[in-house]
Amino acid sequence: ILARTRDANSRINLAAIHMVQGEEEKAFEELRKAAEDNPDSPNPPSILGEYLERKIWLDEAEQLYLKALRIDPKHAVSHFRIGRLHAAQDKTGQSESHLKEAIDLNPEAPEYLETLGNLYEKTGKTFDAIAMLERASVLQPDRAEIFIRLGNLYKQKQFYERAAMRYWAALDIDERDPRAHRLLKELYEILGQQTKDKLQQLENQNT
C-alpha cells in the first residue's frame, strides 16, 4: 500500500508492528513520516504522543497531543490522552476539561468515562465519580471490577442498599469473586447493627 500511496493508517499499523517487535526507533520514524505525509490528520502525532507517554517522555507527549488538537480540535481520543496525561501530573482542572470534552465528543467510550470517574474519586467528588462509573457499567456490564468500585463508593456515602446491589451485580458476573463476598459480609454486618440500634431506639421510646 505504501509503495503506491501515503496512507496514514498503513504507516500507523506498520509502526505498531515495529513497536511489538521492540524496534522503537523504526516505529517512531514511521509515525513521523505519517505525520509529514498527512499534515491534516491528527492521528499520527496523537499516536506518537501515546508511545512517548508510555516511555515517560511527558512533555514531548503533551506537545504532540496539542499538535493533534490544533489539526482537529474535535479529535476525541487526543482530548482523552492529554486529559489522562494531565491527571497523572495532578493538573486536575486541565484534565477534567479535556476528559469532559472527549466524553461529549464520544459518549460511548467506557475508558473515557472511567478515567474521568477516577479523577473525580481522587479529588473527593464521590457523587460525580459514581455518575461516571454508572455510565461505564452500562457500556461494560460484564466487568465485575466496576460494580465493586461502585459498591465501595456507595458504601463510603452510607448508601448501603445501593452498595449491596452493586456487590450482588459483581457476584452475578463471577460468583466466586472473594472480594464481593467479603464486602457483602461486611455490609450486612453494618446493616444488621443498624437494625439492632433502630429496634433498641423504638423499644426505648415505647418504654
Side-chain angles (χ1 to χ4, degrees), residues 42 68-79 101-102 104-106:
L69 290 173
R70 286 194 296 271
I71 296 170
D72 180 3
K74 299 297 184 182
H75 197 232
V77 71
S78 291
H79 279 292
E101 182 68 17
D104 287 342
L105 292 166
N106 185 3

Side-chain angles (χ1 to χ4, degrees), residues 167-181:
Y167 292 146
W168 279 114
L171 283 175
D172 285 340
I173 297 168
D174 182 4
E175 63 181 14
R176 297 172 297 178
D177 190 330
R179 296 170 302 167
H181 284 289

Side-chain angles (χ1 to χ4, degrees), residues 134-188:
E134 287 285 11
R135 289 175 62 182
S137 73
V138 172
L139 296 170
Q140 293 185 317
D142 59 343
R143 283 190 60 202
E145 179 63 32
I146 290 182
F147 290 103
I148 287 177
R149 289 188 60 196
L150 280 167
N152 291 340
L153 290 171
Y154 279 123
K155 180 182 175 183
Q156 180 181 326
K157 289 299 182 180
Q158 299 184 350
F159 290 171
Y160 297 125
E161 290 81 2
R162 293 187 184 181
M165 290 174 61
R166 298 308 180 273
Y167 292 146
W168 279 114
L171 283 175
D172 285 340
I173 297 168
D174 182 4
E175 63 181 14
R176 297 172 297 178
D177 190 330
R179 296 170 302 167
H181 284 289
R182 175 177 53 79
L183 290 166
L184 271 173
K185 177 179 178 293
E186 294 173 357
L187 190 61
Y188 283 128

Side-chain angles (χ1 to χ4, degrees), residues 36-95:
E36 179 184 326
D37 290 345
N38 301 271
D40 296 330
S41 173
N43 285 320
S46 185
I47 292 171
L48 179 55
E50 183 163 49
Y51 284 150
L52 295 181
E53 183 182 351
R54 293 175 190 172
K55 292 181 67 65
I56 322 297
W57 296 353
L58 303 185
D59 291 339
E60 295 86 345
E62 181 178 11
Q63 291 307 310
L64 285 163
Y65 295 148
L66 291 172
K67 179 180 179 180
L69 290 173
R70 286 194 296 271
I71 296 170
D72 180 3
K74 299 297 184 182
H75 197 232
V77 71
S78 291
H79 279 292
F80 164 69
R81 287 167 177 157
I82 196 171
R84 179 187 60 197
L85 174 61
H86 284 158
Q89 297 173 318
D90 292 326
K91 298 178 180 178
T92 303
Q94 293 168 286
S95 175

Side-chain angles (χ1 to χ4, degrees), residues 86 90-100 119 123:
H86 284 158
D90 292 326
K91 298 178 180 178
T92 303
Q94 293 168 286
S95 175
E96 180 180 0
S97 176
H98 281 290
L99 290 172
K100 288 172 72 174
L119 179 69
T123 55

